[in-house]
Amino acid sequence: MSSSTELNRLTIADAAALLHKREISSAELTRVCLDRIAAVEPQLNAFITVTQKAALEQADAADRRIKGGDAPPLCGIPLGIKDIYATKGATTTCASKILSNFVPPFDATVIAKLRGEGAVFVGKTNMDEFAMGSSTENSAFGPTKNPHDLTRVAGGSSGGSAAAVAAGECLGALGTDTGGSIREPASFCGVTGIKPTYSRVSRYGVVAYASSLDQVGPFAKTVRDAAILLRALAGHDPHDSTCSARPVPDYERALTGDVSGLRIGVPKEYFVAGMDPTVERAVREALKCYEAMGAKLVDITLPHTSYAIACYYLVATAEASANLARYDGIRYGVRAAAEDMISLYEMTRAQGFGAEVKRRIMLGTFALSAGYYDAYYLKAMKVRTLIRRDFDCAFEDCDVIVTPVAPTTAFKLGEKMNDPLTMYLSDIFTISVNLAGLPGLAIPCGYDANGLPIGMQIIGAPFAEETILRTGDAFERSGAVIPRRPAL
Ligand code: GLN
């Protein structure tokens, strides 16, 4: 291993091995991450809050536990937490002015699980306000920059988590994905991210955006690390009635490197005119690499793909308008000074929410209102069923589906801010997966002419996380793409 200043570059698997052999301490590892945060944050803005003091205490506790023997795999590992998770004692702002002073009295279930494993939380990462966006530019705390090119976006909404892992500020991070918010920033920042099957991971204590789509998932440098994190996160939770009781497999054991005979579906609707040709080329090269490893490519069709964005922006905004009704200045966060109750509600919401959040609340309220419900919301629900059936049919002929994550690499800051519709199109390849409730993995599969990472998406049938992780890991092992360290 190189110098101790490079400890933050270790994978979770390697760091855990060194921690358990007591060749390094969590205190040392955590300090290196905190130093890195101090050095790059003025440029990167990946964190809303850095919890330095608590992190060092957690690290000391982890070191004591490791010394005692029998510590779990994530014990002592520094992680970044998207600022959408309730963390007892640390602000959970959701990147909104309306929650800027909100300190939750409890931990989200996944936070409690990670605490139980002895993980170290270095801070709360930046995001689009209430997870609405694809670039982290809709944050009340300023945008996160892309560590590969500081003039570009990190992706969104979990842009802070993706950038923090890419820049070596932490070894792994938590995000959430409603329409692509783990996979798109992972792709833009050149890291790995997985959105598990809907219901695989508890969402108790995670600020709700669109409850029929939201899912929790990890970011990491490698597929193996993502597998280690997912195993710690997944599993039944009596506090979340939507959470599955299925047993959690040992995802790491699924990483055999073997893809011979694997049937990879290639949907024609995901290789379309208008997408960046370098992105298409990189994904097609990856497909050739899979063929060389013994996988079989199968042409498939997902015929309702072109309706996915319209469908998503009806369902997601409708659910958001209901979920965000609770921010009224009475129960949580910031309260505007007002004369009477109605103006208190109105002023709190007018001052507290940003422009994109207001747009979505209005769109959703419209889609649910009398006379429009049948025309918009109900129709969107029917289209959603058709999209899910497309995948059911496709999985009769293939084991996984491989596509690009996004039609482009990271775009310039400000480029799409005045055109919400173009911004919404960044999610064209990711949102169907949420509408259908499927697991999707994003891994780096190349770089464009500007040195920006390109992401490949591997989609599985419900609860086929082991298969998609195995498929992603096999590509990583092939060595076809050598991960590049960001310029920052
Ligand atoms: N970009 C999509 C949106 O703005 C998805 C966001 C997400 O997955 N949270 O809704």
Side-chain angles (χ1 to χ4, degrees):
M1 199 188 34
S2 40
S3 76
S4 72
T5 55
E6 297 273 288
L7 292 179
N8 57 329
R9 300 291 176 184
L10 291 170
T11 62
I12 292 175
D14 289 344
L18 292 170
L19 283 166
H20 290 266
K21 279 189 270 172
R22 310 219 357 242
E23 287 180 22
I24 61 171
S25 70
S26 174
E28 216 181 326
L29 177 62
T30 302
R31 243 179 255 119
V32 172
C33 289
L34 291 169
D35 288 349
R36 177 73 181 155
I37 289 174
V40 298
E41 271 307 289
Q43 297 170 76
L44 200 61
N45 200 30
F47 283 86
I48 292 176
T49 309
V50 179
T51 48
Q52 172 146 358
K53 188 166 167 281
L56 290 170
E57 284 166 12
Q58 282 177 305
D60 285 339
D63 284 330
R64 286 194 296 274
R65 191 160 163 190
I66 292 167
K67 205 169 161 187
D70 205 26
L74 290 172
C75 191
I77 302 292
L79 302 176
I81 307 295
K82 187 179 184 179
D83 209 15
I84 198 167
Y85 290 89
T87 43
K88 192 173 178 177
T91 48
T92 294
T93 70
C94 236
S96 182
K97 273 198 247 166
I98 212 163
L99 287 179
S100 53
N101 62 358
F102 175 56
V103 181
F106 72 111
D107 276 330
T109 294
V110 289
I111 298 298
K113 283 190 179 189
L114 292 175
R115 259 194 228 286
E117 288 244 337
V120 173
F121 305 140
V122 291
K124 305 294 294 287
T125 60
N126 203 0
M127 55 182 284
D128 285 296
E129 184 178 3
F130 285 103
M132 298 176 185
S134 310
S135 67
T136 312
E137 290 169 292
N138 297 331
S139 165
F141 301 90
T144 295
K145 317 282 171 54
N146 191 309
H148 290 270
D149 176 349
L150 295 170
T151 68
R152 291 177 188 270
V153 301
S157 64
S158 316
S161 289
V165 172
E169 296 179 293
C170 47
L171 273 58
L174 290 194
T176 57
D177 191 314
T178 304
S181 277
I182 290 175
R183 291 159 287 156
E184 189 240 25
S187 164
F188 283 9
C189 292
V191 297
T192 294
I194 181 167
K195 182 206 94 72
T197 307
Y198 185 76
S199 83
R200 180 67 289 186
V201 182
S202 164
R203 301 169 308 161
Y204 178 72
V206 185
V207 177
Y209 162 18
S211 307
S212 75
L213 300 160
D214 297 342
Q215 188 53 210
V216 162
F219 288 94
K221 293 191 200 96
T222 62
V223 174
R224 179 168 303 273
D225 284 2
I228 294 170
L229 284 166
L230 181 59
R231 188 179 185 201
L233 300 172
H236 184 57
D237 176 12
H239 292 304
D240 177 356
S241 60
T242 64
C243 192
S244 171
R246 266 179 185 249
V248 179
D250 181 348
Y251 296 114
E252 220 188 329
R253 277 185 51 190
L255 310 181
T256 59
D258 180 13
V259 290
S260 57
L262 183 81
R263 296 168 307 161
I264 299 181
V266 185
K268 64 170 189 281
E269 294 81 2
Y270 283 63
F271 296 87
V272 287
M275 67 187 285
D276 185 340
T278 46
V279 171
E280 171 161 5
R281 211 175 307 130
V283 178
R284 294 222 185 260
E285 284 297 318
L287 287 169
K288 276 192 209 145
C289 172
Y290 277 121
E291 260 189 317
M293 290 190 283
K296 289 190 188 63
L297 303 188
V298 186
D299 288 326
I300 58 162
T301 171
L302 298 165
H304 295 93
T305 300
S306 60
Y307 303 107
I309 292 207
C311 174
Y312 171 85
Y313 276 97
L314 284 163
V315 174
T317 58
E319 294 182 15
S321 73
N323 273 326
L324 270 60
R326 56 170 73 91
Y327 305 103
D328 55 7
I330 305 289
R331 286 172 282 196
Y332 309 88
V334 172
R335 175 179 305 169
E339 306 264 289
D340 58 80
M341 197 172 70
I342 298 298
S343 37
L344 188 150
Y345 292 156
E346 287 175 356
M347 285 168 64
T348 298
R349 290 169 69 84
Q351 293 165 13
F353 290 137
E356 183 61 26
V357 173
K358 286 178 185 163
R359 179 170 17 245
R360 305 248 180 141
I361 292 172
M362 286 188 279
L363 285 170
T365 307
F366 179 81
L368 289 176
S369 50
Y372 296 107
Y373 182 93
D374 289 2
Y376 294 111
Y377 184 72
L378 207 62
K379 190 168 277 169
M381 294 299 279
K382 290 178 180 167
V383 172
R384 182 176 187 173
T385 303
L386 295 175
I387 290 170
R388 191 170 31 227
R389 284 193 196 147
D390 281 356
F391 283 101
D392 290 345
C393 287
F395 281 119
E396 286 175 12
D397 299 323
C398 62
D399 306 304
V400 298
I401 296 173
V402 168
T403 75
V405 173
T408 65
T409 52
F411 44 88
K412 291 269 186 191
L413 286 153
E415 190 180 315
K416 301 192 179 180
M417 274 308 268
N418 297 321
D419 188 354
L421 207 57
T422 345
M423 186 74 93
Y424 296 173
L425 287 172
S426 329
D427 306 322
I428 186 153
F429 299 146
T430 47
I431 55 180
S432 297
V433 170
N434 300 74
L435 288 166
L438 306 174
L441 174 70
I443 59 167
C445 72
Y447 294 85
D448 73 5
N450 297 318
L452 297 168
I454 298 170
M456 164 164 73
Q457 173 171 237
I458 305 168
I459 305 168
F463 297 100
E465 280 82 2
E466 289 165 285
T467 314
I468 61 174
L469 289 164
R470 172 164 60 92
T471 308
D473 171 68
F475 182 75
E476 211 176 79
R477 288 190 200 203
S478 78
V481 172
I482 311 293
R484 295 187 200 166
R485 200 183 268 201
L488 183 68

